[in-house]
Amino acid sequence: MHWSNAIARELMRRSDEHAIATGTSISGRIHLGNAGDVIFGDGVYRALKKLNPASLKLIWFSDDMDPFRRVPAGLDPSFEKYLGMPVSSLPCPEGCCSSFVEHYSNIFLNSLKELGIEPEVHSTTEMYLKGIYEDSVKKAMEKKDEIRRI
């Protein structure tokens, strides 16, 4: 039995509604190493789909609030001035898109599409701006001592 089928069967024992959530930091060109999360998630998604759950989603989070930590090879060295800034604040490196994130996300999502992977896309920057994380952050702050113990 393939590992994804074993995981899918275990998940279906627990519930018939599933959201497979994956994410990638948008720090430059996406490669197999950081695309693996989505590819593995898609494997479970496809295995679950065969088992016909009542509800199923494959979600991809663009971790675009992450700081720009280093200038990747092939990128203009002038991008060094953006170190430490959220990648969502950076301009498009080639001037063809509205931002750094849009540029590299488009490349990534198009390559996934060639593999037949089409996740529901979410931007963490947009989620922060919409306040989606507020309740979770408040709850984590209220339970910080318990979280530390864990």
Side-chain angles (χ1 to χ4, degrees), residues 62-137:
S62 168
D63 292 328
D64 47 24
M65 279 292 288
D66 288 354
F68 188 56
R69 292 184 180 94
R70 65 176 179 78
V71 179
L75 192 60
D76 189 309
S78 69
F79 269 73
E80 189 170 288
K81 65 186 171 199
Y82 300 114
L83 292 176
M85 294 177 66
V87 292
S88 58
S89 301
L90 279 59
C92 176
E94 296 182 21
C96 59
C97 296
S98 65
S99 69
F100 183 92
V101 168
E102 181 183 351
H103 180 78
Y104 288 111
S105 292
N106 285 344
I107 293 168
F108 181 58
L109 292 169
N110 287 333
S111 67
L112 288 178
K113 196 172 195 173
E114 288 181 31
L115 298 172
I117 302 172
E118 297 187 60
E120 181 180 302
V121 177
H122 295 276
S123 159
T124 55
T125 297
E126 290 175 14
M127 294 174 75
Y128 277 109
L129 293 173
K130 289 178 182 176
I132 291 171
Y133 294 120
E134 285 180 18
D135 289 340
S136 297
V137 170

